[in-house]
Amino acid sequence: MAETNRPHLVLMHPPSVFDFRERPLNHWMITNGVDTSTVYEYYPVGFIAILDHLEERGRTVRLANMAVKMQDRRFDPRRFVREHEPLLFGIDLHWAQHADGALSLAKVCKEEHPDIPVVLGGISSTYFWKEVIQNPDIDFVLRGETTEEPLAQLLDCLEEQRQPIDVTNLIWKRSGAIIDNEYTHPPKLLTTRINYERLFAH
């Protein structure tokens, strides 16, 4: 495995429906007020904040907009996942219409790399964490509007091979039991710094 394919985190934005290339899309949750297609290509702005926060702390992050990449029928999402072996796969379930895409992508991650954990985050994950964490393909759910620091803490735990008992806002599993680390890291001020130079490098 090439070193360039060993980032600490592979952060992926799924399409609204994972197999949209094979079957018609359901348009019912897409409004005319959002300038995007039914694949819903926009990833949440929190991706940029996470990228900046982690790379400033020496972490390597691969940001992949799968919703855009998969519009090219030559792109194989399973091969993309197979070729990466990070400490952690991260998937956003921010908008509710991504439920199918996010959970299906998590399943692909587990099928290709059963031992690499998968974390979901975003507003929908925050509201529906009890349902999301029941999915056998999901190892962690990070709740909240901003998850940069909790995600950095989680990566530290994974690298040091210790249980994430002190990672704030985290839902996780231990021997089949669901552990709630409690929501104790709400942002004092919701701001997002956009480092375009770092973003365009990806």
Side-chain angles (χ1 to χ4, degrees):
M1 179 67 60
E3 191 64 29
T4 54
N5 283 342
R6 298 298 300 272
H8 295 99
L9 173 67
V10 172
L11 196 57
M12 296 180 288
H13 173 66
S16 53
V17 176
F18 189 73
D19 59 349
F20 70 92
R21 298 185 293 190
E22 283 71 47
R23 64 186 175 99
L25 286 174
N26 185 337
H27 297 254
W28 68 277
M29 293 189 75
I30 307 294
T31 71
N32 291 330
V34 178
D35 184 22
T36 186
S37 77
T38 52
V39 176
Y40 220 87
E41 301 93 337
Y42 292 176
Y43 55 71
V45 70
F47 265 32
I48 305 170
I50 289 170
L51 174 69
D52 202 42
H53 185 85
L54 293 179
E55 290 198 341
E56 277 195 350
R57 286 152 181 78
R59 298 294 186 182
T60 54
V61 180
R62 174 71 192 272
L63 184 64
N65 191 333
M66 305 293 275
V68 170
K69 289 179 176 293
M70 289 176 64
Q71 292 184 55
D72 182 349
R73 288 186 172 273
R74 295 170 298 180
F75 176 77
D76 183 351
R78 184 174 292 275
R79 180 179 178 180
F80 176 88
V81 170
R82 184 184 307 128
E83 290 179 346
H84 289 80
E85 296 183 9
L87 281 175
L88 180 67
F89 284 110
I91 302 170
D92 69 288
L93 177 48
H94 188 70
W95 294 283
Q97 56 262 42
H98 280 102
D100 176 84
L103 297 179
S104 296
L105 185 54
K107 183 176 179 63
V108 171
C109 290
K110 279 301 181 183
E111 288 175 346
E112 295 298 328
H113 300 290
D115 297 326
I116 297 179
V118 175
V119 61
L120 260 62
I123 296 301
S124 292
S125 290
T126 296
Y127 275 98
F128 298 105
W129 67 264
K130 292 181 181 178
E131 291 80 7
V132 172
I133 198 62
Q134 298 289 339
N135 189 300
D137 301 313
I138 308 301
D139 300 284
F140 307 112
V141 176
L142 266 176
R143 296 169 292 177
E145 295 88 349
T146 61
T147 57
E148 295 93 334
E149 185 55 30
L151 190 52
Q153 296 170 10
L154 179 58
L155 286 172
D156 288 343
C157 291
L158 293 174
E159 189 167 55
E160 297 165 13
Q161 298 184 354
R162 55 185 172 87
Q163 294 186 333
I165 56 176
D166 296 320
V167 178
T168 183
N169 297 17
L170 184 69
I171 307 296
W172 56 293
K173 299 171 183 174
R174 180 171 59 194
S175 302
I178 295 172
I179 310 298
D180 180 355
N181 283 7
E182 299 186 358
Y183 185 78
T184 57
H185 185 73
K188 295 180 180 179
L189 181 64
L190 191 58
T191 59
T192 299
R193 179 181 61 184
I194 300 178
N195 185 334
Y196 288 103
E197 182 177 350
R198 195 187 303 276
L199 178 62
F200 290 144
H202 288 258

